[in-house]
Amino acid sequence: MKFGEVPVAEAEGAILAHSLKLGATVLKKGRVLARADLDAIAAAGLQQIVVARLEPGDLREDAAAARIAAAAAGPNITVANAFTGRANLFAEARGLLVFDRDRLDRLNLVDESVTLGTLPPFAVVEPRQMVATVKIIPFAVPEAAVASAAEFAAGNSAAGEPLLRVAAFMPRDVALIQTRLPGFKESILDKTRQVTEQRLAALGCRLVVEERCEHQTTDLAPRIAAAVAQGADIVFVHGASVIVDRRDVIPEAVVAAGGRVDHFGMPVDPGNMLLLCHVGDTPVLGLPGCARSPKVNGFDWVLERLVAGVPVGPQDIMRMGAGGLLAEIPSRPLPRAEASPAPAAKPEKKVPPGPRIAALLLAAGQSSRMGSNKLLAEVEGRPMVARVAQRLLSSHARPIVAVLGNEADRVDAALGKLPVERVRNPAFAEGLSSSLKAGLAALPPEIEGVIVCLGDMPLVAGRDLDRLIAAFNPLEGRAIVVPTRRGKRGNPVLWAKRFFPEMAELAGDVGAKHLIGEHAELVCEVEMDTDGVLVDIDTPDALAALRDKVKPSAA
C-alpha cells in the first residue's frame, strides 16, 4: 500500500487518510475519493491531502478482518460485519471461551498489521458478549499476510479446528458428600450445602443428593461408590478436615471405591488443596476448605471446565498458576492480611468487554394518522410492537427498554412475556421528546450508547442493529451511527452516552435528528442491505402495503 501526501487533483480513487471538515460537510477517513469530493476539497483551498492507494496483492481492511474473523470463529461464536478494519466476535451460548494461546500468538506474529485480541482463556462468557476482536491496523494489508493469519485461525491441517470456540455449560447432576468429626457443627454442613447449591445453580446444574458420614475411609468409600452408581455426573467430597496428602482419608476412600487419584494440589490460592479423582469416567473432587465460601477460588476453575465438557487433567491444573493468586477472602485461617498489608480499594464491578449498547423501543405514541393504535395492529399474526421488540432482541443490544404511554396496558399485554423492560411515560401526549426522556432515564448507568428505535418499524432486523454496534467507536469519531439505504438516511440511530444530556433537553413532538447535523463530524453512516431502515407505518394504506409485502419469516 502506498501512503503519503499528494496533490488534490491526483487523488481520485485514493483512500482519504484523515477526516476533513469542509464547512457543513465532513469527509470521513477511509473514504474512497470521487471527483466531486476532490472539487469540494479544492474549493476549500486545500492543495495537498494525505491518502493511501492499494497496490497489487493488497486487501482492504474490512475484507481482511472479515476473512480472519470467519476463520477463527468456531462453535457457539458469531462474527459481526467488519467496519473500519474491525470484526468483532460474539458468544452465542453461556460457557467458557476456549483457544490455544500458542496459536493465537503465532497469528499475531504474522504481521504488525494483523491483530486478534481475546478475553483470557477459559473466561466465563454470556450469550451476545464480545469475546474477541480482529483489527487490521492500516487501510489495507498484503493478501499473503491475511492468508497466513487465516491459516492459523482456521487450523493448520484438514483436521484443524477454528482457533476460538465457546464450550457451552451443560446441566450436570452433582452429588455432595460431607464428612464429620467430633464437635463439628451441623450448621457448617448446612451452610456448605447452601453455598454448593448456589454455585451449581449459577452454572445451570443441580445438587441431586447430599449425604453426611464420619470422616473415615470405611464410611466414606461406599457413599462415593453409591453416588457414582446412581448416575451422578460429578461427585463432591467436602471433608471435615482439610486434605494434606495423597494418602489422606478422602483420596484413600476414592481408591477404596474403585477410583484413582489424578492430581492433588493446584497453583491457585485460595484453592491449593484441591483433589482431582475419577471413579470410572465420573469426576470426584475433594474440595478445599475455601469452597465453603461463595467467593471464587481454584475449585471454580476446575468445576467450570467439567460443566463445559472441557477436559481437565493434571497438566491443565498445573498450568493454572498464571493469574492464580486470587483475592483475599475473610474465611482464610491465617491472618495473611496482617502479615502483608495492602491498601484497601473498592471492588470494581465487572462488565463484559466491548461497547455496552442498549435499545429504546418508543411505543407510547398516539398514532393520530392511523386512527387507532398502530402498534397493536397485527403483522404476520402478532402485534406490530411485539414484532419490533422480537427483532431488537435478536441483536446484541441489551437491555431492550420499551417506553409505553398511549393504551399502555394493551401495549404491555401485546409485548407479553418477551424479555423487554417496560417504563411508562405519563406525559406521552406531549410528544416524542417526552418518551425519549423517559427511556433515557430508565437506562442503567454503565450503558455507553443507545439505539433509539420507533415502534412502527417492523422491518428493522437484529442484524441491522448489530451493524450499527459494530461501527460504533466514539474514540475514533463514530459517536452517532446512522443507517442508510442507497445513500438515504433512516432509523434507528445509535447515540453515544455523551449526547444524553442534550437529548433530555428536547421538548415537543420532536426527536434528536437535529443533533446529527450539529455534530456532523461525529456521524458515521452504515449502508444496509434492505429497505427496513426506511420503512415506518403511519397510515392505514402503509399498513395494508406492509401486510401485502411481508411473508412469514424468522425475526
Side-chain angles (χ1 to χ4, degrees):
M1 183 181 73
K2 295 181 179 179
F3 184 93
E5 194 173 59
V6 300
V8 171
E10 299 176 10
E12 185 172 2
I15 301 168
L16 183 63
H18 304 290
S19 298
L20 295 175
K21 188 170 184 179
L22 310 173
T25 302
V26 176
L27 300 182
K28 290 283 191 177
K29 69 176 182 179
R31 183 186 183 96
V32 178
L33 295 168
R35 175 52 55 186
D37 298 327
L38 301 182
D39 292 342
I41 294 170
L46 298 177
Q47 298 181 350
Q48 302 275 333
I49 54 173
V50 180
V51 300
R53 287 188 184 276
L54 271 64
E55 295 182 287
D58 282 345
L59 198 60
R60 283 294 302 269
E61 55 181 345
D62 285 352
R67 179 172 168 183
I68 295 169
N76 294 318
I77 291 181
T78 58
V79 181
N81 291 321
F83 194 84
T84 64
R86 184 181 301 280
N88 296 328
L89 297 94
F90 295 87
E92 285 302 308
R94 186 165 192 267
L96 297 183
L97 177 64
V98 181
F99 61 90
D100 180 343
R101 169 67 184 271
D102 290 340
R103 226 168 106 193
L104 175 64
D105 289 344
R106 290 198 296 273
L107 185 156
N108 280 316
L109 288 167
V110 166
D111 190 285
E112 68 177 16
S113 300
V114 177
T115 68
L116 171 57
T118 75
L119 295 180
F122 303 107
V124 176
V125 298
E126 304 291 337
R128 304 188 184 282
Q129 179 180 343
M130 193 168 89
V131 298
T133 183
V134 175
K135 174 62 178 172
I136 304 301
I137 304 301
F139 292 113
V141 63
E143 196 278 337
V146 176
S148 181
E151 185 177 6
F152 283 123
N156 292 323
S157 67
E161 297 179 348
L163 176 60
L164 304 171
R165 68 184 177 95
V166 170
F169 291 141
M170 301 296 291
R172 310 286 181 181
D173 289 344
V174 178
L176 171 64
I177 305 171
Q178 301 193 74
T179 67
R180 302 185 188 92
L181 284 170
F184 203 83
K185 294 182 179 180
E186 289 292 316
S187 61
I188 295 176
L189 303 183
D190 294 339
K191 180 64 175 178
T192 300
R193 174 184 177 130
Q194 180 184 359
V195 168
T196 302
E197 288 177 325
Q198 293 170 347
R199 181 172 261 121
L200 292 173
L203 297 175
C205 301
R206 62 175 184 157
L207 185 64
V208 294
V209 64
E210 187 231 355
E211 289 197 61
R212 302 176 184 183
C213 66
E214 299 307 310
H215 191 70
Q216 297 175 0
T217 299
T218 54
D219 208 12
L220 178 58
R223 284 172 169 78
I224 294 174
V228 173
Q230 291 166 9
D233 297 310
I234 307 172
V235 178
F236 294 164
V237 182
H238 240 311
S241 179
V242 67
I243 307 168
V244 297
D245 191 271
R246 275 177 163 260
R247 292 155 294 189
D248 210 337
V249 170
I250 294 176
E252 284 293 308
V254 172
V255 173
R260 68 180 186 275
V261 175
D262 298 304
H263 190 76
F264 175 51
M266 67 186 310
V268 181
D269 185 22
N272 293 130
M273 301 302 191
L274 180 83
L275 177 74
L276 174 65
C277 307
H278 279 81
V279 176
D281 294 330
T282 303
V284 179
L285 298 180
L287 304 189
C290 57
R292 297 189 190 276
S293 165
K295 294 191 176 182
V296 174
N297 60 80
F299 157 58
D300 290 291
W301 290 6
V302 174
L303 176 60
E304 287 163 358
R305 295 199 197 188
L306 292 175
V307 175
V310 177
V312 55
Q315 291 193 7
D316 299 303
I317 292 177
M318 295 166 78
R319 290 192 176 102
M320 291 181 180
L325 180 58
L326 303 178
E328 295 286 329
I329 61 174
S331 59
R332 287 284 180 84
L334 299 178
R336 304 184 187 195
E338 295 178 10
S340 55
K346 292 183 179 180
E348 295 184 0
K349 183 178 180 181
K350 293 184 178 181
V351 295
R356 297 179 291 277
I357 305 299
L360 286 184
L361 173 56
L362 301 185
Q366 300 182 75
S367 305
S368 56
R369 295 174 60 190
M370 180 66 72
S372 61
N373 195 334
K374 59 186 174 183
L375 301 185
L376 301 175
E378 288 198 353
V379 178
E380 292 185 293
R382 55 181 167 168
M384 187 188 304
V385 68
R387 176 188 171 96
V388 176
Q390 187 65 60
R391 289 179 168 237
L392 299 186
L393 286 166
S394 70
S395 77
H396 289 113
R398 289 296 184 278
I400 312 297
V401 178
V403 182
L404 314 183
N406 181 36
E407 297 188 276
D409 290 341
R410 294 184 65 197
V411 175
D412 193 351
L415 289 170
K417 295 183 179 180
L418 290 175
V420 173
E421 297 180 19
R422 296 109 196 259
V423 59
R424 300 206 177 198
N425 172 25
F428 68 89
E430 295 178 10
L432 181 63
S433 64
S434 66
S435 292
L436 188 56
K437 293 177 190 178
L440 293 175
L443 296 178
E446 65 269 18
I447 289 300
E448 297 176 36
V450 65
I451 298 172
V452 180
C453 186
L454 305 175
D456 63 352
M457 300 192 70
L459 297 184
V460 169
R463 64 179 178 274
D464 297 332
L465 274 66
D466 287 343
R467 286 189 176 186
L468 300 181
I469 295 171
F472 179 76
N473 192 325
L475 295 178
E476 295 182 3
R478 301 190 298 278
I480 305 174
V481 188
V482 182
T484 61
R485 175 63 172 162
R486 303 188 192 92
K488 184 178 179 180
R489 287 178 172 175
N491 280 297
V493 174
L494 169 51
W495 300 87
K497 188 175 184 177
R498 59 172 288 185
F499 298 107
F500 289 7
E502 290 181 78
M503 297 165 77
E505 294 296 322
L506 297 173
D509 194 26
V510 296
K513 185 177 181 180
H514 69 284
L515 296 179
I516 297 176
E518 294 176 10
H519 300 280
E521 73 280 5
L522 299 177
V523 174
C524 168
E525 294 182 342
V526 180
E527 181 68 13
M528 300 295 171
D529 54 11
T530 69
D531 293 336
V533 298
L534 303 180
V535 177
D536 58 2
I537 307 301
D538 284 331
T539 65
D541 288 344
L543 178 61
L546 172 70
R547 287 169 169 166
D548 288 341
K549 178 179 181 179
V550 296
K551 297 178 181 178
S553 62

